[in-house]
Amino acid sequence: GIERVDWIDQQLGMVGIMGSQVWWTWEVEDAFRKVQQAGEKYAVKVLLDRLSSMVNDLINKTRDMTMSKNMRRKLGSLIILDVHGRDIVDAFVRDSILDEREFAWESQLRFYWEKEDNDVAIKQCTGKFTYVYEYQGMNGRLVITPLTDRIVMTLTQALTFHLGGAPAGPAGTGKTETVKDLAKTMGLPCF
């Protein structure tokens, strides 16, 4: 197998990020399967340890001064997503979330490679969306907080019912950036 960082270096940024998100979703659900079917009660904890070491590997890789500017941008975006993924799994370990039917997992933005459609599906709660592949370049990602997670869940549920979403609140709090980041995550054009 090819090393993750080398694979990411060979891909367009959005392909590497999407691939990483699909793989993360599969890994979490595989850990749940190991708990349920194989009785490996520490499978989620083992995954947490692996995700933590993957974040550390990416951070260490950024110290390479010979890296291209584009690769540095890719790694920056991946670190943000990997830290968020690690934090989610950390909360699962803390709260004993061991089943993919739990709301704590259902409420996450999850990415699946659907073999029968030969395409990426994005799921969250009752919503299922097709990735749209709008090319947006490597212009960075927002740090994902519990608040942005809740905003994203609200927006995806509105989209499920073919409604729009217009976050309201004080100026300069990141409403527009959050909507644009969700669009980027789903490969949607955002105007």
Side-chain angles (χ1 to χ4, degrees), residues 22-137:
V22 169
W23 182 248
W24 173 80
T25 300
W26 183 86
E27 278 194 306
V28 174
E29 292 192 352
D30 186 55
F32 291 153
R33 275 188 290 277
K34 287 176 181 171
V35 170
Q36 300 300 318
Q37 295 168 6
E40 295 178 34
K41 60 183 180 176
Y42 296 113
V44 179
K45 175 73 172 95
V46 168
L47 174 61
L48 174 61
D49 294 342
R50 191 166 68 253
L51 293 175
S52 295
S53 79
M54 284 170 55
V55 168
N56 291 336
D57 289 347
L58 289 181
I59 291 168
N60 290 335
K61 189 71 178 165
T62 62
R63 295 185 177 127
D64 178 359
M65 291 299 144
T66 63
M67 186 185 310
S68 73
K69 195 171 166 183
N70 203 29
M71 183 60 180
R72 192 167 296 283
R73 282 189 181 137
K74 288 181 195 178
L75 287 183
S77 294
L78 274 173
I79 288 168
I80 289 168
L81 295 170
D82 276 14
V83 165
H84 181 62
R86 182 207 56 202
D87 290 350
I88 289 167
V89 174
D90 186 44
F92 291 171
V93 169
R94 185 189 66 227
D95 301 336
S96 298
I97 305 297
L98 301 171
D99 194 306
E100 64 186 42
R101 293 168 298 187
E102 298 249 16
F103 181 71
W105 177 242
E106 287 280 327
S107 65
Q108 298 304 321
L109 210 51
R110 303 176 324 278
F111 301 80
Y112 298 89
W113 181 259
E114 304 264 322
K115 287 182 188 170
E116 55 279 353
D117 299 332
N118 199 29
D119 208 352
V120 174
I122 303 167
K123 298 178 184 178
Q124 188 172 40
C125 297
T126 59
K128 181 178 176 183
F129 310 93
T130 303
Y131 189 73
V132 184
Y133 301 96
E134 176 73 12
Y135 180 74
Q136 298 176 23

Side-chain angles (χ1 to χ4, degrees), residues 2-20:
I2 188 170
E3 284 292 316
R4 181 180 184 214
V5 173
D6 296 332
W7 180 80
I8 287 160
D9 196 21
Q10 295 169 8
Q11 307 302 320
L12 281 174
M14 65 187 284
V15 173
I17 287 169
M18 176 52 60
S20 292

